[in-house]
Amino acid sequence: MKLYYIPGACSLASHIMLNETNVTFDIEAVDPKTGETATGQSFRGISPNGYVPALELGEGEVLTEGVAILQYIADNNPEYAYAPAPGTVARARLQQFLNFAAAELHKSWSPLFSDTSTEVEQQAARAKVATKFDHLEDVLSDGREYLVENRFSVADAYTFVVTGWANFKDIDLTRWPNLSAYVRRIAGRASVDAAMRAEGLLA
């Protein structure tokens, strides 16, 4: 397998989970400015939508969309990644938090990473991100360490990555003590350290 990524982007969640599973895989960076991979390929030739992550499975099979890739990794490596059985409440909860990370929190960041958004739009985005952090703070207020059945899952990997973007936008997570502790806890996992070092995010 090969994971196409941009350092620190949402593809980091898939990188973390591949590390969790101990499967053999390669990684290849994508330049968001040129749209080319590190080996000079057109990324749109690999993933027509043009954004990461993309997971090359071999024999012409390529998966796109972060949530789909994360679920694929978990379902195919249940001995390493928590993958509740389909039809269970736990499975529905996993999907709930994956979709929250993707459709609510991830999407809320968009104006803050856009060169064309106005100051008013950026302030509105900061307020919106804060409401998503408020929700996660409330979820974690019961003392759980992880989002679903208190077991580390793909939902935690994704939530960790998109919450961590606060560091790039000077948003102080200490305002949300439960969420801040949650991020620190996940940052301490060997899979996270290895992925961030491989992407050049840690020395």
Side-chain angles (χ1 to χ4, degrees):
M1 290 189 293
K2 180 185 284 186
L3 177 70
Y4 293 91
Y5 74 97
I6 292 172
C10 59
S11 47
L12 178 60
S14 296
H15 195 169
I16 290 167
M17 290 311 303
L18 286 169
N19 283 342
E20 286 278 338
T21 62
N22 292 322
V23 299
T24 300
F25 66 97
D26 296 316
I27 59 173
E28 186 166 344
V30 177
D31 186 328
K33 293 181 180 178
T34 65
E36 291 188 350
T37 73
T39 57
Q41 301 177 77
S42 167
F43 185 54
R44 284 193 180 274
I46 298 163
S47 174
N49 58 33
Y51 52 79
V52 296
L55 184 64
E56 199 170 70
L57 304 178
E59 299 182 357
E61 290 283 358
V62 177
L63 282 178
T64 62
E65 302 298 335
V67 169
I69 291 171
L70 288 168
Q71 195 67 74
Y72 175 84
I73 293 168
D75 286 345
N76 281 276
N77 299 277
E79 67 273 32
Y80 295 110
Y82 178 49
T88 62
V89 172
R91 178 70 166 215
R93 291 290 184 206
L94 186 68
Q95 295 298 321
Q96 172 187 320
F97 284 111
L98 275 173
N99 280 288
F100 176 81
E104 297 294 330
L105 182 52
H106 187 166
K107 187 177 179 181
S108 296
W109 284 105
S110 295
L112 292 169
F113 286 98
S114 171
D115 293 333
T116 60
S117 60
T118 66
E119 181 62 29
V120 170
E121 289 169 333
Q122 293 213 11
Q123 289 302 320
R126 285 176 176 274
K128 192 170 184 179
V129 167
T131 66
K132 309 309 175 186
F133 285 176
D134 288 344
H135 171 67
L136 289 169
E137 178 72 10
D138 185 59
V139 168
L140 295 164
S141 67
D142 63 3
R144 72 180 75 184
E145 293 190 348
Y146 302 110
L147 293 174
V148 183
E149 294 200 332
N150 215 23
R151 297 179 62 178
F152 181 75
S153 72
V154 291
D156 297 298
Y158 198 172
T159 302
F160 165 78
V161 171
V162 291
T163 299
W165 292 343
N167 294 322
F168 298 105
K169 295 300 174 182
D170 296 322
I171 297 175
D172 187 0
L173 281 181
T174 60
R175 174 179 164 186
W176 301 273
N178 294 314
L179 181 58
S180 181
Y182 168 82
V183 168
R184 289 196 304 272
R185 184 160 51 249
I186 295 173
R189 297 182 74 85
S191 60
V192 175
D193 183 81
M196 293 184 74
R197 289 183 188 280
E199 295 191 11
L201 301 170
L202 293 176

